[in-house]
């Protein structure tokens, strides 16, 4: 069973590599992935030498892919962390329940976290009520999901989801191994079929959206790469413009903000400056690492319902 899962994983990695060179957006794990797997997986009884080899080949496929694109070896950027040194001590082995997942089909994702000696990482800090947050986006960032894999045992997390359409998806696992800093591990999943036309993201000049009967306005001051930027969301009812001042805590805070650059390389997970706020304002402080186009998703909860509001900005 394990062998099948790993074979499936490889074919996906190779498919991903093939698709990649055509659009040139270069998204392999680059050098990072290579480092992760060179150690091999033989240390644990359940992982034979063959598995170590196949895992390594899969990563090589992706490394080659990264080199084709414009962003070879980007791993350092995507895996944003407060302690990059810790991050290199950790790697993830991703497994999928289907070799070639179909649109709208249940897909179980298993993420095994191991240290540089291939030992399972078993202790995680709880961060905003969860041991792991998993962000799933389509390559063009038109699809966004934020889910919470369940910790099983021996460093393994598992989650079942459905991906809406053919094409490539990036998954970003965000977690804190106890005693280390916050870190991420990422993977690409390819859903079978002919991918719909990718939509280029257009920066929006007007940052106001209506979602779930709420009108959300985003104001950003100091929108410039490398600057401390303040993101201020103002939320009112769309029908009568009444300010919404009874937002409910979502995962222990007034809201959560996830930001990705258009090329998916830069990932930011931002928490509010005042977590106990209830609206109509929710403020977040962050810093955009580089200039370029970014998509920002704000997540809030009101009357028992979580809603997501996306914005696209250009950071000078
Ligand atoms: Cu989360």
């Amino acid at each position: 069973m394990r062998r099948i899962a790993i074979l499936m994983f490889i074919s996906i990695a190779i498919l991903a590599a093939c698709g990649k060179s055509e659009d040139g957006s270069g998204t392999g794990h680059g050098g990072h992935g290579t480092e992760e797997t060179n150690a091999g997986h033989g240390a644990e009884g359940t992982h034979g030498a063959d598995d170590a080899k196949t895992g390594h080949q899969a990563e090589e496929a992706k490394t080659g892919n990264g080199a084709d694109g414009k962003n070879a070896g980007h791993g350092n950027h995507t895996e944003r962390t407060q302690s990059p040194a810790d991050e290199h001590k950790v790697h993830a082995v991703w497994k999928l329940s289907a070799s070639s997942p179909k649109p709208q089909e249940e897909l179980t994702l298993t993420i095994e976290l191991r240290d540089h000696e291939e030992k399972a990482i078993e202790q995680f800090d709880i961060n905003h009520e969860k041991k792991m947050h998993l962000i799933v986006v389509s390559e063009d960032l038109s699809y966004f999901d934020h889910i919470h894999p369940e910790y099983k045992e021996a460093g393994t997390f598992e989650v079942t989801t459905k991906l809406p359409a053919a094409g490539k998806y990036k998954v970003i696992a965000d977690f804190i191994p106890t005693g280390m800093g916050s870190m991420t591990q990422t993977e690409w999943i390819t859903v079978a079929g002919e991918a719909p036309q990718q939509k280029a993201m257009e920066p929006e000049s007007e940052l106001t959206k209506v979602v779930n009967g709420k009108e959300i306005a985003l104001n950003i001051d100091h929108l410039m790469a490398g600057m401390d930027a303040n993101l201020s969301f103002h939320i009112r009812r769309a029908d009568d413009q009444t300010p919404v001042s009874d937002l409910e805590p979502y995962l222990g805070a007034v809201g959560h903000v996830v930001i990705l650059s258009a090329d998916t390389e830069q990932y930011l997970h931002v928490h509010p400056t005042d977590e106990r706020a209830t609206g109509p304002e929710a403020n977040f402080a962050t810093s955009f690492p580089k200039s370029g186009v970014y998509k920002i998703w704000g997540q809030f909860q009101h009357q028992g319902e979580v809603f997501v509001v996306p914005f696209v900005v250009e950071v000078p």
Side-chain angles (χ1 to χ4, degrees), residues 104-281:
Q104 305 291 353
E105 184 182 72
E106 280 204 346
L107 176 68
T108 300
L109 206 59
T110 307
I111 308 140
E112 288 181 33
L113 294 170
R114 303 186 190 165
D115 66 14
H116 59 298
E117 294 174 320
E118 296 300 320
K119 285 209 286 274
I121 296 171
E122 304 192 72
Q123 300 292 324
F124 296 88
D125 290 356
I126 305 280
N127 180 26
H128 286 93
E129 302 182 356
K130 303 290 177 184
K131 285 185 175 175
M132 179 182 279
H133 301 262
L134 191 79
I135 304 300
V136 185
V137 289
S138 58
E139 190 173 21
D140 66 358
L141 303 183
S142 61
Y143 174 82
F144 171 89
D145 199 13
H146 176 175
I147 53 180
H148 299 103
E150 193 188 333
Y151 184 73
K152 303 304 247 188
E153 54 181 4
T156 299
F157 287 84
E158 193 177 286
V159 70
T160 297
T161 188
K162 288 177 184 173
L163 298 170
K168 295 183 65 189
Y169 294 80
K170 189 171 194 173
V171 285
I172 302 163
D174 188 332
F175 55 94
I176 308 173
T178 297
M180 298 192 208
S182 161
M183 63 182 72
T184 59
Q185 293 286 328
T186 67
E187 183 57 291
W188 285 91
I189 297 174
T190 301
V191 174
E194 197 174 328
Q197 185 84 43
Q198 300 290 293
K199 290 157 255 168
M201 291 201 304
E202 288 297 330
E204 297 158 354
S205 50
E206 181 69 35
L207 298 181
T208 303
K209 292 271 164 65
V210 174
V211 175
N212 280 31
K214 257 79 71 180
E215 183 187 287
I216 302 104
L218 171 61
N219 184 66
I220 306 177
D221 61 4
H222 307 296
L223 185 61
M224 192 174 282
M227 297 277 286
D228 289 331
N230 291 302
L231 278 63
S232 180
F233 292 83
H234 191 96
I235 300 159
R236 353 185 237 193
R237 287 174 54 134
D239 52 2
D240 61 5
Q241 309 285 295
T242 316
V244 172
S245 53
D246 57 347
L247 289 173
E248 293 150 2
Y250 169 54
L251 300 169
V254 63
H256 294 260
V257 168
V258 171
I259 302 173
L260 274 167
S261 57
D263 60 6
T264 78
E265 303 283 308
Q266 312 291 332
Y267 166 77
L268 304 166
H269 189 162
V270 193
H271 295 124
T273 48
D274 177 9
E275 299 201 332
R276 284 165 299 177
T278 58
E281 293 276 337

